[in-house]
């Protein structure tokens, strides 16, 4: 039976490639492009985790390499692919750690709680605040190209290894 996640991985990687080939027309366009690439790379990565879970017949969609490893361990199984992903996730200097940080940055709407800066008695903020001066810089296009190539190579290599086994 074909793996239902393989197509999602391929499409997201292709979309990220097309986005990276386009020329931004200005600063806002560049930032939107960078955000879109991060979104597509994260989608490809998460779909690939699910692809591995399906291939290994785990019956679940792992959301992280840690969940993948736990599911394998619970079944008394091991996987070189899962071990490699776990190692990449734990290495704070890896391209995967950079991708995860960029993804988290996209979803960080506010540095505070939902009650606002004044504490428990304060009204809830309707518009979340975001201190743009304190957030990490958006990855530049060359870094995103490296991340895309790294992810695409990981997917190619791990798929080839899974076919051999």
């Amino acid at each position: 039976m074909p793996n239902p996640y393989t197509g999602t991985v391929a499409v997201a990687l292709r979309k990220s490639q097309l986005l990276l080939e386009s020329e931004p027309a200005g600063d806002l366009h560049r930032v939107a492009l960078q955000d879109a690439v991060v979104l597509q790379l994260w989608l490809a990565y998460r779909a690939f985790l699910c692809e591995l879970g399906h291939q290994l017949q785990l019956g679940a969609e792992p959301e992280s390499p840690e969940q993948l490893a736990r599911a394998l361990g619970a079944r008394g199984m091991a996987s070189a692919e899962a071990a490699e992903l776990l190692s990449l996730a734990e290495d704070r200097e890896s391209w995967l750690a950079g991708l995860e940080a960029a993804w988290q940055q996209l979803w960080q709407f506010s540095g505070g709680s939902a009650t606002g800066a004044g504490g428990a008695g304060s009204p809830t903020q309707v518009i979340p605040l975001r201190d743009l001066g304190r957030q990490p810089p958006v990855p530049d296009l060359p870094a995103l190209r490296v991340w895309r190539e790294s992810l695409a190579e990981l997917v190619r290599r791990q798929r080839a290894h899974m076919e051999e086994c």
Side-chain angles (χ1 to χ4, degrees), residues 2 26 41 43 51 56 73-74 83 100 106-107 110 130-131 135:
L41 292 176
L43 177 62
E51 180 180 327
L56 296 166
E100 183 175 6
L106 281 180
W107 289 103
S110 172
R130 188 171 184 188
D131 183 353
Q135 72 181 21

Side-chain angles (χ1 to χ4, degrees), residues 54-69:
H54 183 270
Q55 187 74 22
L56 296 166
Q57 300 177 351
L58 298 180
E61 294 182 339
E63 295 183 12
S64 69
E66 295 82 9
Q67 283 186 358
L68 182 61

Side-chain angles (χ1 to χ4, degrees), residues 50-101:
C50 294
E51 180 180 327
L52 287 175
H54 183 270
Q55 187 74 22
L56 296 166
Q57 300 177 351
L58 298 180
E61 294 182 339
E63 295 183 12
S64 69
E66 295 82 9
Q67 283 186 358
L68 182 61
R70 275 196 302 274
L72 285 166
R75 289 171 175 73
M77 299 169 63
S79 163
E81 293 79 16
E84 180 181 9
L85 284 168
L86 188 57
S87 176
L88 275 171
E90 291 172 348
D91 178 2
R92 300 318 311 163
E93 301 298 318
S94 72
W95 63 267
L96 182 54
L99 175 59
E100 183 175 6

